[in-house]
Amino acid sequence: MFLLNAKDKTPLYRQLYQQLRHKILNGELSSQTKLLSSRKLSQELRISRNTVDMAYQQLLSEGYILGKPRSGYYVETLHNTIIPTFMESTQLESPSEVPDPIKYNFKYGKLSPHAFPFSQWQRLTNECLRNYQEQLLDYHSFMGELGLRKEILKYLRDYRDIKCTVDQVLITSGTEHCLSLACELLKSVTSTIAIEEPGYAGAHFAFKNHGFCIQPITISHHGLNVKELHTSAAKAVYVTPSHQFPTGRIMSITRRLRLAEWAYEHNAFIIEDDYSSHLRYDVKPISSLQGLAPDKVIYIGSFSKILLPSLRVAYMVLPKELAQIIHKTAESRACAVPFMIQKPLELFLQEGHFESHVRKTLRHLKKKHETLIYELQENFGDTISITGMNAGLHLLLQVKLPVSAEDLIAWAAKAGVYIPIKNRIWIDSEPSPYPSILLGFGGIALEDIPPAIRILREVWLDHI
Amino acid sequence: MFLLNAKDKTPLYRQLYQQLRHKILNGELSSQTKLLSSRKLSQELRISRNTVDMAYQQLLSEGYILGKPRSGYYVETLHNTIIPTFMESTQLESPSEVPDPIKYNFKYGKLSPHAFPFSQWQRLTNECLRNYQEQLLDYHSFMGELGLRKEILKYLRDYRDIKCTVDQVLITSGTEHCLSLACELLKSVTSTIAIEEPGYAGAHFAFKNHGFCIQPITISHHGLNVKELHTSAAKAVYVTPSHQFPTGRIMSITRRLRLAEWAYEHNAFIIEDDYSSHLRYDVKPISSLQGLAPDKVIYIGSFSKILLPSLRVAYMVLPKELAQIIHKTAESRACAVPFMIQKPLELFLQEGHFESHVRKTLRHLKKKHETLIYELQENFGDTISITGMNAGLHLLLQVKLPVSAEDLIAWAAKAGVYIPIKNRIWIDSEPSPYPSILLGFGGIALEDIPPAIRILREVWLDHI
């Protein structure tokens, strides 16, 4: 009647409990059946009485059986119409492709090993685990650690001309989290959000996911065509003015002023995603749009590109009006970023390591950026046109060959060169007749760039 | 005309850039004004020509000035109607109360120092930073690390009778994140979500914040009154069946079956929040509702109560149908939990430390739980009735005195005993005529319980 195995990992009491439970649920032990006393059952099964008692106790507290004083335990009257599935369920299908081995990796967003100060971070984490135990054992403010927010604010004031106070700074677990909070704040303002065309697919996804209508706005050489905004229903717009994704353009001050003007005129908001603000190779970082219109801009920044993508720390600067709304909800919420990430990051900034890290990283990336452009021009000449130069972690190529981007990516993959499949960046159809390719250069080593590009030339031009 | 200070932290080129920018924006330098050549300006200001060039270059790339070949730089025609605010903005008001010094802390959710294996965690983090650098330098699957998901699944199968495959397990940054994803999945299913009355304010907040109507459902001794669900418009319900928050009751198997039945009948979903599943002091952990109705239950668990509140790791088990929806969105999203948290946690589970940690923690908390109940009964007798016993990190007291909960909390605070102000747990008004108090015992030391309760007796009974 019961199959108990003392060698099983599952304790005996639990085996008994599970089997009794199963029998009750499937009706084998019917309603009001009296159970054997724990003394009798333990003798019968040759297990300790205590084990049986534990199983009965568990069934009792979960309501499977009923205790009657001076009589014993009886099976509860259950109306089980659902018949639970006790089978092991099968795996969801997932595409099981065997990927080609990657020799050279142009994945967007990946960084190379010396990009992150691992041993320094180890030291700071250990410091946090030793000296901040009381804080680690508690929940924390939804806004993020005050110390970290102050350090970020100091940096933003010095380098990005941000105008705000620390109450307007919020720590989040990444750009998606920032966008999701922006959606929360904007849903009472508008039902339509405008985005750049072409633009960042992650933003498009976030807004759609929150139920907003999307209004694509074209961009020209100087940035967003603000005129189109005026005739749209949108009362919010998402832009990447310092380094338009993916074209890499800088929005000119003329456009910025017009955009701010639009926001004031329509009582609208601008989401400024400054995702790669630190990484500018020709000039110094571009001043933020936020500094021009602090009451109208939701500013988003991140440590993913400059420090570590897997760190999951980003930040927002909110207009005062919106910050006050978030403050009101803060007590019902906990911060999403672990304290043992926030505190080391605060110390990293405070001790001045961040600024030197930015300088060092910039020098290194600039070299890779130059080498990549040089190699592309040497190997492909006019066959390729490059946009998105001088900033960030990627270049956008237009390959003037009568083939598809999918083919170019597949041929490269076969030869060991990984090129990311571009997320949909156009909402309407792509206007160019040529395939465009996004090359990330954050993860590839400097010395690997020339051989990787030579392979691309061979496999791409060979196939034509 | 320009005030440059070589001793300032801001580089000279940036001071010049900022002042030129200011003059252009406020119209002092009007449209089409020709700038001095960099040679002349550098002589005039006695700074290097390179510094002036850098400032001009920056203004040029941001579109403030225009270069004309063989002529020089001219101010762009800007229509600045917004007049940016260059003042330092003032701080948002925030309530600046000086709190009473805390000697004994009954804050809910806080843990005591030996609750967490700090040095072990330090070792595992260091291992992660040394051995997983390539992974740290990349973005990760939105679902969370496969290794960690497998370990969690193994644990849930062994201890909570969860029925699922690893594809249905998702790692998140906390219960709020879980609830937010649940809302995302449920918005096409229903516009009304039912919740327990009284219940967890955080869930109430999350659902309201996502635009759902809230339908309170009363609870009786055996748990949710499922009958009320049948007459409501809700097609989703949020429950805490293993340890109802805040009453501490276990939902009986009869009610569970009825609830599952309701879900199948109405094609509805159940959100099972198993927030303190590990912490049961009378019997073993209660089997999950998910195991009874795997196709209908969105299961939520967390490491906050059993490991560390500031770790920010929780998990969900999704019904296959909903998991498939999330899988489709996964490529547009990044995981919210840092890799350097996920990997140590995976190793902690894999090496068996978690199970022994749970046992150790449980023993310790059980002692605190018993001591607290004993001291309350000794000191207050019938003046206090206790609910929510035998599980979790809190007790709910009804204090049979003709005073308000606010007064009780304030008197305790003056005497150095911190009692949390209860979040609103009732949607309709609280039916009891007596004040109710939530005492968290996770953070207080065992030996501090007797003196803390004696103080409460003194200050509370004294005031009457």
Side-chain angles (χ1 to χ4, degrees):
Chain A
M1 185 174 169
F2 295 103
L3 286 168
L4 303 184
N5 178 1
K7 283 175 187 152
D8 197 292
K9 205 198 153 209
T10 309
L12 278 179
Y13 95 87
R14 196 152 187 94
Q15 294 180 39
L16 182 59
Y17 153 80
Q18 281 169 339
Q19 291 175 34
L20 275 163
R21 182 169 169 263
H22 195 174
K23 284 177 204 295
I24 295 170
L25 280 174
N26 70 16
E28 209 178 309
L29 279 173
S30 61
S31 164
Q32 300 310 322
T33 306
K34 191 184 175 192
L35 298 185
L36 287 180
S37 73
S38 61
R39 192 178 48 81
K40 274 199 190 140
L41 186 56
S42 65
Q43 282 168 356
E44 202 171 277
L45 296 173
R46 299 179 185 199
I47 56 178
S48 88
R49 189 166 165 186
N50 195 29
T51 303
V52 179
D53 279 336
M54 272 176 83
Y56 280 9
Q57 209 50 47
Q58 191 76 20
L59 292 166
L60 188 69
S61 63
E62 297 189 15
Y64 287 90
I65 60 175
L66 202 77
K68 293 185 184 168
R70 271 182 302 270
S71 167
Y73 292 117
Y74 293 81
V75 173
E76 252 298 7
T77 308
L78 304 179
H79 301 280
N80 182 8
T81 60
I82 60 158
I83 307 165
T85 53
F86 281 110
M87 313 303 199
E88 272 313 298
S89 30
T90 50
Q91 204 81 2
L92 284 181
E93 325 86 273
S94 59
S96 63
E97 16 173 281
V98 181
D100 295 300
I102 297 171
K103 196 166 175 209
Y104 302 113
N105 196 341
F106 285 108
K107 182 171 175 186
Y108 176 66
K110 199 179 172 312
L111 300 182
S112 55
H114 55 45
F116 187 70
F118 288 100
S119 57
Q120 208 160 36
W121 197 267
Q122 191 165 320
R123 179 179 65 74
L124 294 170
T125 304
N126 293 348
E127 202 172 314
C128 170
L129 285 167
R130 264 198 319 273
N131 303 341
Y132 294 89
Q133 301 196 347
E134 270 303 318
Q135 287 95 321
L136 283 161
L137 289 158
D138 207 345
Y139 285 95
H140 292 272
S141 158
F142 178 67
M143 301 297 288
E145 287 307 299
L146 186 61
L148 176 58
R149 285 155 59 207
K150 281 183 179 163
E151 290 299 329
I152 289 173
L153 176 54
K154 213 188 296 171
Y155 189 85
L156 291 176
R157 274 189 185 147
D158 288 351
Y159 290 90
R160 320 284 301 112
D161 293 301
I162 291 283
K163 307 262 179 278
C164 76
T165 63
V166 75
D167 312 61
Q168 294 167 258
V169 181
L170 175 64
I171 310 290
T172 75
S173 68
T175 299
E176 182 181 343
H177 191 194
C178 291
L179 291 173
S180 160
L181 290 168
C183 288
E184 180 185 326
L185 290 165
L186 292 173
K187 70 180 174 219
S188 64
V189 174
T190 186
S191 58
T192 303
I193 294 186
I195 65 175
E196 298 163 325
E197 167 86 331
Y200 171 47
H204 185 183
F205 169 79
F207 300 139
K208 254 184 69 179
N209 203 25
H210 280 81
F212 286 97
C213 302
I214 308 290
Q215 175 66 52
I217 305 282
T218 61
I219 49 168
S220 67
H221 186 73
H222 293 292
L224 200 76
N225 289 319
V226 180
K227 269 183 203 156
E228 294 176 24
L229 260 183
H230 281 277
T231 58
S232 84
K235 292 226 169 193
V237 62
Y238 168 88
V239 288
T240 50
S242 300
H243 183 222
Q244 204 275 332
F245 187 89
T247 63
R249 290 173 190 150
I250 300 173
M251 192 188 294
S252 73
I253 180 65
T254 313
R255 291 288 168 91
R256 286 169 190 244
L257 287 171
R258 281 202 200 131
L259 184 56
E261 215 172 82
W262 166 81
Y264 280 108
E265 202 172 291
H266 294 261
N267 215 357
F269 289 98
I270 302 161
I271 304 171
E272 176 180 22
D273 188 351
D274 212 8
Y275 66 104
S276 67
S277 65
H278 309 89
L279 306 175
R280 186 92 229 159
Y281 311 122
D282 48 354
V283 288
K284 297 286 169 180
I286 306 301
S287 293
S288 67
L289 191 53
Q290 196 275 355
L292 288 178
D295 297 337
K296 289 293 156 199
V297 173
I298 298 172
Y299 177 88
I300 294 177
S302 157
F303 288 100
S304 296
K305 305 277 181 287
I306 187 64
L307 206 52
L308 203 65
S310 74
L311 196 67
R312 312 317 299 138
V313 185
Y315 44 86
M316 298 174 91
V317 176
L318 296 171
K320 278 202 161 44
E321 180 189 348
L322 301 182
Q324 257 154 347
I325 297 174
I326 284 285
H327 282 252
K328 276 185 201 133
T329 72
E331 73 164 34
S332 310
R333 317 172 93 163
C335 183
V337 184
F339 184 84
M340 64 175 91
I341 299 287
Q342 290 195 62
K343 184 51 79 175
L345 184 55
E346 177 188 334
L347 299 172
F348 190 72
L349 284 153
Q350 199 181 54
E351 296 174 6
H353 305 308
F354 183 66
E355 288 181 43
S356 57
H357 170 77
V358 171
R359 279 195 299 273
K360 197 187 120 203
T361 304
L362 211 53
R363 267 199 309 275
H364 182 73
L365 283 171
K366 190 176 176 177
K367 249 184 263 167
K368 291 209 275 188
H369 171 260
E370 280 166 5
T371 308
L372 183 57
I373 292 173
Y374 176 83
E375 291 294 332
L376 284 168
Q377 287 169 341
E378 281 294 298
N379 281 278
F380 289 97
D382 287 344
T383 312
I384 272 181
S385 79
I386 308 174
T387 49
M389 285 180 285
N390 293 323
L393 292 172
H394 75 276
L395 294 178
L396 196 64
L397 313 185
Q398 242 180 38
V399 186
K400 293 171 190 157
L401 294 173
V403 289
S404 70
E406 291 71 29
D407 281 343
L408 293 174
I409 290 171
W411 298 336
K414 282 224 172 67
V417 181
Y418 176 81
I419 294 173
I421 295 166
K422 219 165 63 250
N423 264 329
R424 223 176 138 62
I425 53 176
W426 293 88
I427 295 175
D428 298 333
S429 61
E430 189 159 353
S432 158
Y434 295 118
S436 78
I437 290 284
L438 195 148
L439 279 194
F441 56 86
I444 194 165
L446 179 61
E447 62 274 18
D448 283 349
I449 294 174
I453 300 302
R454 267 199 303 278
I455 291 178
L456 287 186
R457 184 190 59 193
E458 281 162 27
V459 295
W460 287 356
L461 299 184
D462 251 29
H463 271 90
I464 310 307
Chain B
M1 185 173 167
F2 295 102
L3 286 168
L4 302 184
N5 178 0
K7 283 176 187 151
D8 197 292
K9 206 200 152 210
T10 309
L12 279 179
Y13 94 87
R14 195 152 188 94
Q15 294 179 39
L16 182 59
Y17 154 80
Q18 281 169 340
Q19 291 175 35
L20 275 163
R21 183 170 167 262
H22 195 174
K23 285 178 204 295
I24 295 171
L25 280 174
N26 70 15
E28 207 178 309
L29 279 173
S30 61
S31 165
Q32 301 309 323
T33 307
K34 190 182 176 192
L35 297 184
L36 287 181
S37 74
S38 58
R39 192 178 50 80
K40 276 201 190 139
L41 186 56
S42 63
Q43 282 168 356
E44 201 171 276
L45 296 174
R46 299 178 188 201
I47 56 179
S48 88
R49 189 167 166 185
N50 194 30
T51 303
V52 179
D53 278 335
M54 273 175 83
Y56 280 9
Q57 208 52 44
Q58 192 76 20
L59 291 167
L60 187 68
S61 63
E62 298 188 14
Y64 287 89
I65 59 175
L66 201 78
K68 294 186 184 168
R70 271 181 303 267
S71 166
Y73 292 117
Y74 292 81
V75 173
E76 251 299 8
T77 308
L78 303 178
H79 301 279
N80 182 9
T81 61
I82 61 159
I83 308 168
T85 53
F86 281 111
M87 313 304 198
E88 270 316 296
S89 29
T90 50
Q91 204 80 3
L92 284 182
E93 326 85 274
S94 58
S96 64
E97 14 173 283
V98 182
D100 296 300
I102 297 170
K103 196 165 174 210
Y104 302 113
N105 196 341
F106 285 108
K107 181 171 176 186
Y108 175 66
K110 197 179 175 313
L111 300 182
S112 57
H114 56 44
F116 187 72
F118 288 101
S119 58
Q120 208 160 36
W121 196 268
Q122 192 165 319
R123 180 180 63 75
L124 294 169
T125 303
N126 292 349
E127 202 172 313
C128 170
L129 285 168
R130 263 198 319 272
N131 303 340
Y132 294 90
Q133 301 197 347
E134 270 302 318
Q135 286 95 321
L136 283 161
L137 290 158
D138 207 345
Y139 285 96
H140 292 271
S141 158
F142 178 66
M143 301 298 288
E145 286 307 298
L146 187 61
L148 176 58
R149 285 154 61 206
K150 281 183 180 164
E151 290 299 329
I152 289 173
L153 176 54
K154 215 189 293 173
Y155 188 85
L156 290 177
R157 274 189 184 147
D158 288 352
Y159 290 90
R160 320 284 303 113
D161 293 301
I162 291 282
K163 308 260 178 279
C164 76
T165 61
V166 75
D167 311 61
Q168 294 167 259
V169 181
L170 175 65
I171 310 291
T172 74
S173 68
T175 299
E176 182 182 342
H177 191 194
C178 290
L179 291 172
S180 158
L181 290 168
C183 288
E184 180 184 326
L185 290 165
L186 291 173
K187 71 178 174 224
S188 64
V189 174
T190 186
S191 58
T192 303
I193 293 186
I195 65 174
E196 298 163 326
E197 166 86 330
Y200 171 49
H204 186 181
F205 169 78
F207 300 139
K208 255 185 68 181
N209 202 26
H210 280 82
F212 287 96
C213 302
I214 307 289
Q215 175 66 52
I217 305 281
T218 62
I219 50 166
S220 67
H221 187 72
H222 293 294
L224 200 76
N225 290 319
V226 180
K227 268 182 203 156
E228 295 176 23
L229 261 184
H230 282 276
T231 58
S232 84
K235 293 228 169 192
V237 62
Y238 168 88
V239 288
T240 50
S242 301
H243 183 223
Q244 204 275 331
F245 188 90
T247 64
R249 291 174 190 149
I250 300 173
M251 192 189 294
S252 72
I253 180 66
T254 313
R255 290 289 168 89
R256 285 168 190 244
L257 288 171
R258 280 200 202 132
L259 184 56
E261 215 172 80
W262 166 81
Y264 280 108
E265 204 171 291
H266 295 262
N267 216 357
F269 288 98
I270 302 162
I271 303 171
E272 177 180 20
D273 187 352
D274 212 7
Y275 66 105
S276 67
S277 65
H278 310 89
L279 306 175
R280 187 92 229 160
Y281 310 122
D282 48 353
V283 289
K284 297 285 168 179
I286 307 300
S287 293
S288 68
L289 190 54
Q290 196 274 355
L292 288 178
D295 297 338
K296 289 292 155 198
V297 174
I298 297 171
Y299 176 89
I300 295 177
S302 157
F303 288 100
S304 296
K305 305 278 181 287
I306 188 64
L307 206 52
L308 203 66
S310 74
L311 197 66
R312 312 317 299 137
V313 186
Y315 44 87
M316 299 174 90
V317 176
L318 295 171
K320 278 201 161 43
E321 181 188 347
L322 300 182
Q324 257 153 349
I325 297 174
I326 285 284
H327 282 252
K328 276 184 201 133
T329 72
E331 72 164 34
S332 309
R333 317 171 93 162
C335 184
V337 185
F339 184 83
M340 65 175 89
I341 299 287
Q342 291 195 62
K343 184 50 79 175
L345 184 55
E346 177 188 333
L347 299 172
F348 190 72
L349 284 153
Q350 198 182 55
E351 296 174 6
H353 305 308
F354 183 65
E355 288 181 43
S356 56
H357 171 77
V358 170
R359 279 194 299 273
K360 197 186 120 203
T361 305
L362 210 52
R363 268 199 307 275
H364 182 73
L365 283 171
K366 191 177 176 175
K367 250 185 260 167
K368 291 209 274 187
H369 171 260
E370 279 164 7
T371 307
L372 183 56
I373 291 172
Y374 175 82
E375 291 294 332
L376 285 167
Q377 286 169 343
E378 281 294 298
N379 281 278
F380 287 98
D382 287 345
T383 312
I384 271 182
S385 79
I386 308 174
T387 49
M389 285 180 283
N390 293 323
L393 291 173
H394 75 277
L395 293 178
L396 197 62
L397 313 184
Q398 242 179 38
V399 186
K400 293 170 190 158
L401 294 173
V403 288
S404 70
E406 291 71 30
D407 282 343
L408 294 174
I409 290 171
W411 298 336
K414 282 224 173 65
V417 181
Y418 176 81
I419 294 173
I421 295 165
K422 219 164 64 247
N423 263 328
R424 224 176 138 61
I425 53 176
W426 293 88
I427 294 175
D428 298 333
S429 61
E430 191 159 351
S432 159
Y434 297 117
S436 79
I437 289 284
L438 195 147
L439 279 194
F441 56 86
I444 193 164
L446 179 61
E447 61 274 19
D448 283 349
I449 294 175
I453 300 301
R454 269 201 301 278
I455 291 177
L456 287 186
R457 185 190 58 192
E458 281 162 28
V459 295
W460 286 357
L461 299 184
D462 253 27
H463 271 89
I464 311 305

